Amino acid sequence: MRIAQRSATLLLVAAAVLSPGHPRAEPRFSFAATPGKLPKDVVPSHYALRITPGTDRFEAEAGIDIDVKRPVQAIVLNASELTFKSVKLRAAGGDEQTLAPSFDPKQETATLAPARAPIAPGRYRLDIEYSGKIGRHPQGLYRFEYKQREPGGLVERAMLATHMEPVSARKLFPGWDEPVFRATFELTAVVEESLTAVSNMPQSRVEPRPGGKKEVRFEKSVPMSTYLVALFIGEMDVLEDEADGVRLRIYTAKGKRERAHYAMESTRQIVHYYNEYFGERYPLAKLDQVALPGGIGGAMENWGAIAYNEARLLYDPRRESLRQQQAVYGIVAHEIAHQWFGNLVTMAWWDNLWLNEGFATWMADKITEQFNPQWGARLRSALSKEWALGEDARRTTHAIQTPVENDTRATDVFDSISYAKGAAVLRMVEAYLGEGVFRTGVRGYVRANRFSNATTADLWHHLSDASGQDIPKLVSGWTEQPGYPLVRTSQRCENGEAVVTLTQERFTLNDPGASPLTWNVPVILAGAAGARRTLLVERDPRVARFPGCGAIVANAGDSGYYRVEYDDPAFQALSAELKHLAPLDRLRLLSDTFALVQAGRTEVPRYLALVGNLGDEADRTIWDQVIGSLRFFGDLLDKAEEKGAFDRFVAQLLQKPFSRIGWDRRPGEAADTQLLRRSLIEALGRAGDKAVVQEAQARFAARADKPLDASIRIAVLNVAGRYADEPTYQALLRRMHNATDMNAKWETLSALRQMQDPRLLRQLMELMLTDELPPGDAVFNLTHLGSDSGQVELGWQFVLARLPVVLAKASERGRPYVLPDAARGFTDAPRADELISIARTHLDATALYQAEKAADWIRLKAAVKEREAARAVAWARAHTRG
Ligand SMILES: [Zn+2]
């Protein structure tokens, strides 16, 4: 899955902490030892599901082949919001009995009890007639509306779709909704004759039914986990192709087929590469991808029927930016990687989610770098690693492998740790073992566990086999302990040699009570003359010698998941040489220095002086790091006059690179320049640069005659939105209302969330309480506009005043995010306390993790504000001309 629009995360905090340096050794996969709620003495092997959707509800029948391994008093399975009409159990010998269901809505289980217990061991068929709800949130079977332009004007259409991960399959059918219970599926759907139905497998039979309906039956699937089951029903166009004998199709809403060509071209390349890389061919006859004009915000890797929000999959080179093209490639590469890592070999339980998500994230970066070297993907993935490095240094972090006791809160592990830290650890291991050895290990793992489940220990086992090294010893500290190390270097010059001493300690932000852990850290050092050396830093200090006395770069090439703190002379030497360092090393030095300021290990002028040494920096990823860091400091300033001074400093700093590239694309300019332009326009607009604001407003006003250039459109809209007056607000509302594309709708909402005018913001918030947007989108926009506009107090008070309405709009699984999202922009510690106390009164104790994370983030900002705000302003004043 690719999460979007949401910074998800986990429930287990302190309980995951292990004794320093002695991670527990997780066992290899065994069905019996896999955690979960459901007893393992009844095991399903096949589901025959027949679904007849109406408007708000569906009617269904499930025939489930089960194996009762031991005498049981009752059968326990998952069911959520389903109404059972009849439950029959038929023994292999033909005896049939009726079972009485009872439900536990909180646990999302049903217990089916026979009149005469126990049920004897043996094979049975369980037949359940039932009905269920068609929701408005992407959980289970859901319905969403979208707009389509037709000759007569805009028309409303609706689609049905499913989204199961992590635990919503139980809303579509009763069953064993835990990843370890693999079974085959045979789906049948009764739908309107004119509609298209897509599922995991190819259609096997279509028969007419009365009332303009048809019954579509799909082939029997391979054995798979329930969270991968999929069904889509709607009016669709299709684009077809093939790769290595696999039939490829992309389904879109009517009229959008031509915009799927880029995704299709990428799919062909990616499937072929993975067939080769994994040494196992894609096992189904077809791979469909569905571009949904609504519903989920990201994507979901359903086996053979991947779902995307259309904004993630469609790309029209005439209307969309390079950024969109890159994002499409990245997400397709991620979801297709899951067809192996996730679908063919599935994590046994949610505590090993990183095997799915870390791997798919790592693989998508790898293939993007391989086939699109001009995109600077390596540097981008280094910047996205910061997402994890930031969260993993805080009190609320958890180990990559972390207990998930309550699967209804499994959404909490879809976070930076599973995705970005998981990917970074795999990259570190690959860099240490070498690409070839690593791939051999991955192939062994996939071959040994295909159509089965696995744990992290199984991956380590096969990497040990391939490398002849004790991989668990090397890496279990990274996956079984929370946090990561700070590698400290001190350097001296001795007889013409640089002598570097390396030590490690745990790096934390605002967490003085963190347990002191150590790791086996592979540190790559680069000397001034280009000499490289890898040292394994363990508990004791390590010393390395390099010829010549130039400054030594640690974590050279950024393959490690840790931060580096140089001693002062080495830092000064590297800082002076900043513009001559490789881009990855420049990014590392900037990011680490910024984090050291956040941690209180150095002061803000050190970071700002480093930025001053960038010279004629042209790389947009480097600038994105700088823009993000400056925004962090700027957001800490409370007084308008101080904010103004800091904004003037930011504007002057960014005017320099912007003046070199200007507003308009130039023939032959580097692809990256377009992306830098967009970042700079947006940041200059945010800092209130008059010329940029006026030009953005003029371009927005003239857009009917001169359409906005796709490469900067979102930046122009955001700046126009930020300084919107009433007519601009109305124009943006019309644009949103008339949008037939999710992309256009999202970028317009983004512009609206930037508005500064409190009166207009209030109007927008009121609009979010109506049915203008699907409920999940409305809640997202309502809870994020405070941070985006900078009017955190206004947004927070509005959400508090309408809290019952807002919570009712959110899905059950989305509810724990409402208050933390609305409060995240605060920078004073008492607001963290307020958030926690309000969250406690509205949420169950198991659903407080998101609030704790946001509160910790607010407290961190408050601590940095107290230490650094005055220094940041003083620096800005001293370094602004005029
Ligand atoms: Zn994923």
Side-chain angles (χ1 to χ4, degrees):
M1 172 155 70
R2 256 288 266 273
I3 36 175
Q5 293 199 334
R6 189 146 287 171
S7 53
T9 313
L10 183 126
L11 81 149
L12 215 165
V13 188
V17 173
L18 304 135
S19 56
H22 297 98
R24 87 200 143 99
E26 185 204 35
R28 294 183 62 190
F29 170 65
S30 105
F31 177 77
T34 298
K37 237 177 235 168
L38 299 177
K40 294 198 173 57
D41 37 22
V42 179
V43 179
S45 58
H46 178 72
Y47 294 79
L49 302 174
R50 188 173 188 278
I51 317 276
T52 308
T55 308
D56 297 320
R57 294 192 65 79
F58 63 90
E59 299 293 321
E61 292 151 37
I64 313 174
D65 296 335
I66 59 173
D67 190 359
V68 176
K69 307 257 184 204
R70 269 182 296 281
V72 292
Q73 296 301 310
I75 294 170
V76 183
L77 40 58
N78 291 114
S80 173
E81 300 182 282
L82 301 180
T83 306
F84 287 10
K85 289 177 194 152
S86 77
V87 183
K88 297 211 166 85
L89 185 68
R90 201 176 66 227
D95 285 353
E96 190 175 278
Q97 56 178 322
T98 299
L99 304 182
S102 58
F103 296 91
D104 182 340
K106 216 172 157 108
Q107 296 291 313
E108 302 184 344
T109 55
T111 301
L112 311 177
R116 285 186 322 278
I119 299 171
R123 293 186 176 275
Y124 295 84
R125 161 112 171 180
L126 180 63
D127 279 300
I128 303 178
E129 257 186 85
Y130 65 102
S131 67
K133 204 176 87 180
I134 299 177
R136 300 272 290 142
H137 293 282
Q139 288 157 13
L141 181 65
Y142 68 101
R143 173 192 164 88
F144 63 88
E145 269 120 44
Y146 61 100
K147 289 179 183 128
Q148 193 157 289
R149 198 167 298 287
E150 288 192 352
L154 279 187
V155 292
E156 286 267 344
R157 288 277 181 273
M159 252 189 217
L160 290 181
T162 55
H163 181 84
M164 308 308 199
E165 196 181 23
V167 288
S168 293
R170 59 191 69 169
K171 292 179 191 289
L172 180 66
F173 56 91
W176 281 256
D177 191 17
E178 296 181 356
V180 77
F181 289 99
R182 294 177 94 93
T184 52
F185 288 83
E186 211 169 350
L187 256 73
T188 303
V190 180
V191 305
E192 299 290 328
E193 204 279 320
S194 63
L195 301 181
T196 302
V198 178
S199 182
N200 306 88
M201 302 301 291
Q203 295 185 354
S204 59
R205 205 180 65 202
V206 180
E207 284 178 351
R209 286 285 172 268
K213 304 247 178 175
K214 63 183 175 185
E215 182 176 295
V216 181
R217 177 179 284 237
F218 298 93
E219 285 175 16
K220 182 174 163 181
S221 78
V222 293
M224 64 185 200
S225 301
T226 46
Y227 77 90
L228 295 169
V229 170
L231 180 63
F232 305 97
I233 301 165
E235 208 178 272
M236 296 187 231
D237 279 349
V238 61
L239 180 70
E240 305 200 38
D241 209 324
E242 116 5 271
D244 294 354
V246 176
R247 185 170 182 199
L248 304 177
R249 280 175 300 207
I250 297 181
Y251 290 91
T252 69
K254 283 273 175 214
K256 294 178 180 173
R257 191 184 97 109
E258 295 312 310
R259 291 156 64 190
H261 282 289
Y262 178 69
M264 183 60 94
E265 191 187 303
S266 309
T267 300
R268 275 201 321 262
Q269 182 180 62
I270 291 164
V271 168
H272 179 69
Y273 178 84
Y274 290 167
N275 275 337
E276 172 66 23
Y277 186 90
F278 292 111
E280 282 283 329
R281 293 171 74 88
Y282 174 79
L284 307 186
K286 62 99 174 174
L287 175 56
D288 292 337
Q289 297 177 90
V290 187
L292 300 170
I296 52 169
M300 177 61 213
E301 68 266 23
N302 316 301
W303 211 343
I306 306 173
Y308 300 84
N309 187 292
E310 64 170 21
R312 311 282 174 195
L313 191 68
L314 303 183
Y315 166 67
D316 177 347
R318 290 162 311 162
R319 288 197 291 182
E320 274 141 352
S321 67
L322 173 63
R323 174 101 148 232
Q324 174 71 2
Q325 185 185 6
Q326 295 174 344
V328 168
Y329 193 91
I331 200 164
V332 170
H334 179 109
E335 301 308 327
I336 297 181
H338 277 312
Q339 307 300 306
W340 283 262
F341 251 77
N343 302 5
L344 186 60
V345 184
T346 311
M347 85 253 129
W349 180 243
W350 303 108
D351 56 355
N352 270 307
L353 178 71
W354 88 283
L355 280 176
N356 277 13
E357 298 305 347
F359 195 93
T361 304
W362 167 82
M363 188 46 131
D365 287 345
K366 184 181 180 72
I367 190 172
T368 304
E369 285 157 34
Q370 165 123 359
F371 289 111
N372 304 281
Q374 75 288 4
W375 284 353
R378 179 66 189 87
L379 208 54
R380 285 321 279 183
S381 67
L383 186 61
S384 58
K385 183 167 74 177
E386 290 297 316
W387 176 37
L389 287 167
E391 298 199 330
D392 200 17
R394 282 156 47 194
R395 192 183 54 80
T396 43
T397 192
H398 60 87
I400 282 182
Q401 291 173 265
T402 190
V404 175
E405 266 142 39
N406 180 357
D407 61 357
T408 62
R409 293 297 318 145
T411 35
D412 277 337
V413 280
F414 287 81
D415 67 355
S416 65
I417 304 300
S418 298
Y419 284 73
K421 182 179 183 179
V425 168
L426 289 171
R427 183 183 286 278
M428 186 161 66
V429 177
E430 186 198 28
Y432 190 69
L433 297 181
E435 277 195 343
V437 170
F438 188 82
R439 188 185 56 194
T440 304
V442 168
R443 285 182 172 178
Y445 168 84
V446 170
R447 193 176 317 116
N449 301 293
R450 59 203 290 276
F451 297 110
S452 180
N453 294 62
T455 69
T456 301
D458 293 298
L459 180 60
W460 297 159
H461 170 81
H462 288 281
L463 287 170
S464 297
D465 250 14
S467 64
Q469 300 203 43
D470 184 353
I471 299 297
K473 176 170 180 280
L474 180 75
V475 298
S476 56
W478 298 96
T479 59
E480 298 183 11
Q481 300 184 138
Y484 59 89
L486 175 69
V487 171
R488 305 179 67 191
T489 81
S490 64
Q491 193 181 330
R492 60 182 198 278
C493 188
E494 234 177 59
N495 305 326
E497 275 189 328
V499 182
V500 191
T501 305
L502 304 168
T503 56
Q504 64 159 308
E505 63 185 78
R506 183 172 177 188
F507 179 74
T508 59
L509 294 170
N510 204 29
D511 185 17
S515 45
L517 304 173
T518 56
W519 290 261
N520 293 319
V521 194
V523 178
I524 299 179
L525 297 170
R532 280 187 178 238
R533 196 163 307 155
T534 303
L535 286 185
L536 196 62
V537 179
E538 296 169 89
R539 275 164 197 263
D540 299 328
R542 289 288 309 262
V543 177
R545 292 169 182 272
F546 282 81
C549 279
I552 307 296
V553 175
N555 198 6
D558 185 53
S559 61
Y561 183 77
Y562 54 87
R563 296 200 185 277
V564 177
E565 184 178 57
Y566 296 96
D567 64 8
D568 200 55
F571 176 82
Q572 296 305 344
L574 290 172
S575 175
E577 283 299 296
L578 185 64
K579 54 187 169 209
H580 303 300
L581 298 180
L584 277 166
D585 296 336
R586 286 208 296 285
L587 182 66
R588 266 285 33 98
L589 195 60
L590 285 160
S591 303
D592 287 352
T593 307
F594 172 67
L596 291 169
V597 175
Q598 287 186 317
R601 301 183 74 111
T602 187
E603 296 172 355
V604 73
R606 174 168 282 211
Y607 175 77
L608 296 175
L610 195 59
V611 170
N613 288 349
L614 278 171
D616 290 342
E617 181 64 64
D619 191 288
R620 58 116 181 185
T621 302
I622 303 281
W623 279 115
D624 282 346
Q625 196 288 331
V626 172
I627 289 166
S629 304
L630 295 176
R631 183 169 168 196
F632 174 85
F633 294 127
D635 283 349
L636 301 180
L637 306 176
D638 293 324
K639 294 193 191 111
E641 173 228 350
E642 295 184 335
K643 226 176 176 47
F646 197 77
D647 279 348
R648 280 190 295 283
F649 164 72
V650 171
Q652 276 194 12
L653 182 77
L654 301 182
Q655 275 155 8
K656 222 172 101 188
F658 188 57
S659 68
R660 286 195 299 270
I661 60 173
W663 275 87
D664 296 302
R665 279 198 243 187
R666 294 169 196 174
E669 74 178 10
D672 220 38
T673 305
Q674 292 176 37
L675 301 166
L676 174 61
R677 179 176 293 120
R678 163 182 155 157
S679 295
L680 291 172
I681 290 171
E682 174 139 15
L684 282 161
R686 181 175 278 273
D689 181 285
K690 277 207 184 63
V692 166
V693 173
Q694 281 169 7
E695 180 66 19
Q697 287 172 327
R699 286 180 184 233
F700 179 75
R703 70 196 180 284
D705 301 322
K706 191 172 179 261
L708 299 171
D709 180 338
S711 67
I712 55 169
R713 186 174 59 224
I714 181 73
V716 172
L717 288 170
N718 280 344
V719 178
R722 194 159 192 82
Y723 302 97
D725 52 9
E726 180 74 37
T728 305
Y729 173 58
Q730 293 301 337
L732 286 169
L733 281 187
R734 276 195 304 278
R735 191 176 192 268
M736 176 184 81
H737 192 76
N738 294 333
T740 52
D741 285 342
M742 289 306 293
N743 237 343
K745 194 164 177 174
W746 283 355
E747 59 186 25
T748 314
L749 280 161
S750 164
L752 287 164
R753 289 198 306 271
Q754 315 292 320
M755 293 191 300
Q756 301 287 287
D757 184 334
R759 194 182 53 88
L760 298 177
L761 265 185
R762 262 190 220 103
Q763 285 184 37
L764 179 65
M765 291 190 282
E766 292 290 351
L767 183 69
M768 293 301 145
L769 298 180
T770 68
D771 288 333
E772 169 75 26
L773 293 182
D777 293 5
V779 172
F780 174 85
N781 283 286
L782 196 50
T783 53
H784 283 74
L785 54 77
S787 291
D788 285 354
S789 65
Q791 310 264 16
V792 189
E793 186 70 48
L794 185 72
W796 173 245
Q797 293 304 338
F798 186 92
V799 168
L800 285 192
R802 315 289 202 288
L803 197 53
V805 184
V806 182
L807 290 174
K809 250 185 189 297
S811 71
E812 196 188 320
R813 311 219 199 278
R815 225 159 273 152
Y817 294 83
V818 167
L819 288 161
D821 283 351
R824 207 179 303 281
F826 284 127
T827 61
D828 294 305
R831 307 319 289 264
D833 303 336
E834 183 186 345
L835 165 63
I836 292 294
S837 97
I838 297 174
R840 280 212 180 106
T841 62
H842 290 275
L843 297 172
D844 192 281
T846 62
L848 288 176
Y849 180 58
Q850 300 304 329
E852 278 166 12
K853 260 181 80 172
D856 189 64
W857 172 235
I858 296 167
R859 290 195 185 102
L860 169 65
K861 288 190 286 184
V864 180
K865 172 153 85 174
E866 199 180 312
R867 283 196 312 267
E868 302 294 338
R871 272 197 282 268
V873 174
W875 177 278
R877 289 205 168 110
H879 291 81
T880 309
R881 298 176 305 276

